[in-house]
Amino acid sequence: MTALCHFERNEVESRNLMHELGIVFYIIKDVKEAAEANGVKHVDAVVMDIGEVSTIVPEYLQDMWRWAADREELLKGAELKINIIPAVTWCDHCKCEYPTVEYGKTCPNCGSGETWLLRGNEVEIKQIEIKS
Amino acid sequence: MDEVKVIEIKKSVFEDNDKDAAKLRAELKHRGVYLLNLMSSPGSGKTTTLIQLLNQIKTKLRVAVMEADIDSDVDAVKIKEQTGVDSIQLHTGGMCHLDAEMTRQGLDNVKLQNLDLVILENVGNLVCPAEFDTGACRNAMILSVPEGHDKPLKYPLMFSVCDLVVINKIDVMPYFDFDIEKCREYVKMRNPKAEIIPICAKTGEGVDKLAEWILKEVNNWKTT
């Protein structure tokens, strides 16, 4: 048996093979739910908090957003506003915080590898905005 | 100027998928079916490894394979031809990963009541599949020698979500300056609990260790 199971979710061109598209579908689903719950007919902007090390490329997310949002009555022309959240790592050895992108996994103060990301991997819908 | 009304949402984009995945995992537990999510870069030897592995475990476990690709069914056909194991092809329709809902739809196409193990071969990619929990019991990834021993440093999330790291193509290690001890160290940095199994899918070296791992895992899943 070689069955085929095909997800007809989109007909995007092959240049768009990136996870930002999947993320956009999730954003749209959540925004639709929030809009419905609040009786909103049209959303003018969606505000996202995106962590610096979340693996999301904001430019790609914007591209995908335009493509997908304009196909929804609720989101036609809606702007996607992106707040970038700087990534910060905590060193458990010398109890300090340092910028993740610059120093990575190794603490610049004491050289320890006992470090954890405190923030900077968010992919969060902060709010939606409606012009009255 | 227009008045702007703001509605707070404050919700992670992954929240719904995480819930779907947890639900799927609970159902699999209830039915005694083990789902393994297998990830890697394109060309790491996922399909060849699977063929070797399936030929070792197919008499001991009832197993099926789900092949996720952006398009084509070459992998599913190859698996079926070379192992006799049932294999279905999932097309992601341009998406670079599977989420829990797509995994569930795929599982609807295999007869779960007759199975102990389903192996999901995720889309070849080290970024996106790591972010979306498929609902699998465990995550495994294959890192092949030509990709370099520093991959765990470059793709931290992938290595931190994997319970098993298979190092494939160890026969060509001398040609690629691949330092396996360094590689182990980097993997452990991301995930101290990760198991590491070096293999050569082409010659079959080490595949018995992989088979052992999976047999133990499935047994634990069913009995605890």
Side-chain angles (χ1 to χ4, degrees), chain B residues 101-165:
Chain B
E101 181 52 33
M102 291 157 110
T103 306
R104 173 187 298 279
Q105 288 176 34
L107 288 173
D108 288 343
N109 289 281
V110 297
K111 292 192 179 63
L112 282 183
Q113 65 273 21
N114 301 328
L115 293 171
D116 303 304
L117 167 67
V118 179
I119 300 177
L120 168 64
E121 188 179 331
N122 212 318
V123 181
N125 174 340
L126 294 184
V127 182
C128 329
E131 284 180 336
F132 287 88
D133 188 341
T134 56
C137 314
R138 289 279 184 272
N139 292 318
M141 70 93 58
I142 301 178
L143 169 66
S144 66
V145 163
E147 294 171 66
H149 58 252
D150 55 358
K151 270 281 180 309
L153 300 180
K154 295 180 183 168
Y155 298 90
L157 184 62
M158 172 57 72
F159 288 87
S160 63
V161 302
C162 278
D163 307 281
L164 171 70
V165 175

Side-chain angles (χ1 to χ4, degrees), chain A residues 1-7 9-10 16-19 21-23 25-27 29-30 33-34 38 40 48-49 54-55 105 123-132, chain B residues 2-14 16-17 70 76 80 86-97 99 102 105 109 127-128 131-132 189-190:
Chain A
M1 174 191 72
T2 307
L4 269 173
C5 181
H6 197 108
F7 298 99
R9 274 174 108 148
N10 61 77
N16 295 334
L17 302 177
M18 54 188 72
H19 67 161
L21 180 62
I23 305 276
F25 285 130
Y26 274 93
I27 300 172
K29 186 169 152 271
D30 286 339
E33 280 170 20
N38 290 279
V40 172
M48 299 286 302
D49 282 341
S54 65
T55 79
K105 186 93 176 91
V123 186
E124 213 173 85
I125 308 168
K126 188 169 183 277
Q127 61 193 40
I128 56 177
E129 297 176 356
I130 302 106
K131 283 183 191 153
S132 53
Chain B
D2 292 334
E3 285 280 304
V4 175
K5 183 183 163 196
V6 169
I7 300 172
E8 288 271 330
I9 300 187
K10 270 269 168 220
K11 184 180 168 194
S12 164
V13 165
F14 302 113
D16 286 350
N17 185 59
I70 283 159
K80 176 75 186 163
D86 279 345
S87 172
I88 69 160
Q89 184 78 43
L90 309 179
H91 280 166
T92 59
M95 306 273 267
C96 53
H97 61 272
D99 60 19
M102 291 157 110
Q105 288 176 34
N109 289 281
V127 182
C128 329
E131 284 180 336
F132 287 88
M189 246 167 80
R190 297 304 176 205

Side-chain angles (χ1 to χ4, degrees), chain A residues 20-74:
Chain A
E20 281 76 6
L21 180 62
I23 305 276
V24 159
F25 285 130
Y26 274 93
I27 300 172
I28 289 177
K29 186 169 152 271
D30 286 339
V31 169
K32 272 184 174 170
E33 280 170 20
E36 199 170 318
N38 290 279
V40 172
K41 296 278 173 277
H42 188 263
V43 172
D44 294 284
V46 174
V47 184
M48 299 286 302
D49 282 341
I50 304 282
E52 213 178 359
V53 295
S54 65
T55 79
I56 304 289
V57 182
E59 295 76 33
Y60 292 167
L61 194 66
Q62 290 287 10
D63 278 359
M64 298 296 109
W65 172 257
R66 200 64 286 135
W67 182 86
D70 286 348
R71 278 159 181 75
E72 303 283 341
E73 255 336 288
L74 178 75

Side-chain angles (χ1 to χ4, degrees), chain B residues 5 15 22 32 52 58 70 76 87 127 153 167 179 184 194-195 211 217 219:
Chain B
K5 183 183 163 196
E15 196 180 300
Q52 286 274 7
K58 67 186 180 192
I70 283 159
S87 172
V127 182
L153 300 180
I167 302 177
D179 186 333
R184 279 180 199 277
E195 291 235 19
E217 279 285 319
N219 189 39

